[in-house]
């Protein structure tokens, strides 16, 4: 950072942020930015900004960040409580939300099982609002029903018999997704869990991770 300050010594720093493990960000009065030791995802955003940056806040304890542009748009990586505060549209009953696939893996990508997660949710050891990212839902007009893009999280919420969970309403489903959902009339009711039967032990669980693009141990 000191090297950057010397290089830009004729300009005034108007925004500065320090983060964990030597991460830093500097914004100068002419709009020039410089940074170092940030996460790969943030580095990509700073190398290819989609607009003029207003400010950037770095976490002092991990690689999380909050980046806001002059037009008010933003990018961020945050813990579940803050992420849900920033993105969740409302709470919904998980039993009125449909699935978007006919089968899911029995474990999350981090290795945690649906059953263990549901048990911890049911007993209050973890919370849908503060420990797990809100599930994304889209509206399928032909069915007049909301469906999730995060099927395993929804299944865990239902198994725990939760009454309400945070959701991010993304609007209408794409035509392709709506067509596929409408092709499975039972998607609104339940989903088959692969891996609960012995025949599924060797299944490649990552195959259906394409719906879950949050950096989330519960995706």
């Amino acid at each position: 950072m000191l090297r950057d300050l010397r290089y830009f010594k004729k300009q005034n720093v108007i925004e500065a942020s320090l983060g964990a493990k030597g991460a830093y960000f500097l914004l100068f009065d002419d709009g020039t930015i410089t940074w170092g030791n940030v996460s790969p995802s943030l580095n990509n955003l700073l190398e290819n900004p989609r607009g003029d940056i207003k400010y950037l806040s770095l976490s002092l304890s991990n690689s999380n960040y909050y980046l806001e542009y002059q037009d008010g748009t933003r990018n961020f990586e945050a813990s579940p409580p803050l992420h849900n505060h920033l993105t969740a549209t409302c709470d919904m009953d998980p039993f009125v939300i449909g699935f978007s696939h006919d089968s899911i893996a029995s474990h999350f990508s981090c290795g945690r099982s649906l059953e263990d997660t549901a048990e911890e949710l049911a007993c209050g050891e973890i919370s849908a609002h503060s420990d797990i990212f809100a599930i994304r839902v889209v509206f399928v007009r032909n069915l007049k029903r909301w469906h999730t893009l995060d099927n395993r999280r929804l299944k865990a919420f239902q198994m725990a018999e939760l009454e309400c969970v945070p959701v991010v309403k993304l609007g209408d489903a794409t035509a392709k997704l709506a067509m596929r959902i409408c092709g499975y009339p039972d998607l609104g009711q339940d989903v088959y869990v692969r891996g609960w039967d012995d025949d599924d032990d060797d299944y490649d669980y990552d195959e259906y991770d394409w719906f879950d693009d949050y950096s989330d141990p519960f995706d």
Side-chain angles (χ1 to χ4, degrees):
M1 184 174 68
L2 292 177
R3 182 186 61 187
D4 289 340
L5 286 171
R6 286 193 293 267
Y7 181 81
F8 295 103
K9 61 182 179 180
K10 293 183 179 180
Q11 297 162 226
N12 295 318
V13 175
I14 58 174
E15 289 287 342
S17 183
L18 301 178
K21 298 181 179 179
Y24 67 90
F25 169 81
L26 300 173
L27 171 62
F28 297 91
D29 55 5
D30 67 347
T32 303
I33 60 173
T34 185
W35 66 91
N37 303 318
V38 299
S39 67
S41 62
L42 177 55
N43 187 73
N44 183 61
L45 289 172
L46 295 175
E47 286 184 343
N48 305 282
R50 63 186 187 190
D52 294 331
I53 294 175
K54 183 177 180 180
Y55 65 86
L56 170 66
S57 177
L58 299 171
S59 171
L60 290 171
S61 59
N62 52 44
S63 62
N64 290 344
Y65 62 86
Y66 181 91
L67 171 63
E68 185 167 319
Y69 300 92
Q70 292 290 349
D71 63 2
T73 58
R74 61 195 181 184
N75 290 103
F76 56 87
E77 287 185 4
S79 60
L82 178 57
H83 187 282
N84 292 349
H85 174 74
L86 293 172
T87 64
T89 310
C90 62
D91 284 357
M92 290 183 65
D93 180 346
F95 291 96
V96 304
I97 303 171
F99 295 92
S100 57
H101 209 282
D102 60 337
S103 69
I104 58 173
S106 61
H107 290 69
F108 295 100
S109 56
C110 64
R112 184 190 296 267
S113 73
L114 288 174
E115 290 179 308
D116 288 345
T117 303
E119 289 179 4
E120 292 174 5
L121 284 165
C123 72
E125 187 173 335
I126 60 176
S127 165
H129 290 81
S130 60
D131 296 298
I132 302 179
F133 290 103
I135 59 174
R136 299 161 296 166
V137 296
V138 293
F139 191 68
V140 180
R141 291 192 173 275
N142 289 351
L143 301 176
K144 297 181 179 180
R145 186 168 60 204
W146 291 93
H147 285 255
T148 187
L149 303 184
D150 303 302
N151 296 278
R152 284 170 286 182
R153 269 174 274 173
L154 175 60
K155 182 62 176 178
F157 293 155
Q158 292 182 349
M159 290 168 61
E161 299 184 349
L162 301 183
E163 295 182 355
C164 64
V165 298
V167 302
V168 181
K169 289 185 175 180
L170 301 180
D172 289 347
T174 63
K176 183 178 179 180
L177 178 58
M179 183 179 298
R180 187 167 65 79
I181 290 175
C182 291
Y184 294 92
D186 294 331
L187 280 180
Q189 302 172 17
D190 205 352
V191 65
Y192 173 68
V193 181
R194 306 184 309 273
W196 282 356
D197 296 331
D198 292 340
D199 293 340
D200 293 328
D201 285 344
D202 296 326
Y203 205 98
D204 180 4
Y205 292 142
D206 290 333
E207 180 174 346
Y208 287 100
D209 282 354
W210 53 285
F211 266 129
D212 301 320
D213 60 14
Y214 282 146
S215 299
D216 178 8
F218 288 94
D219 70 358

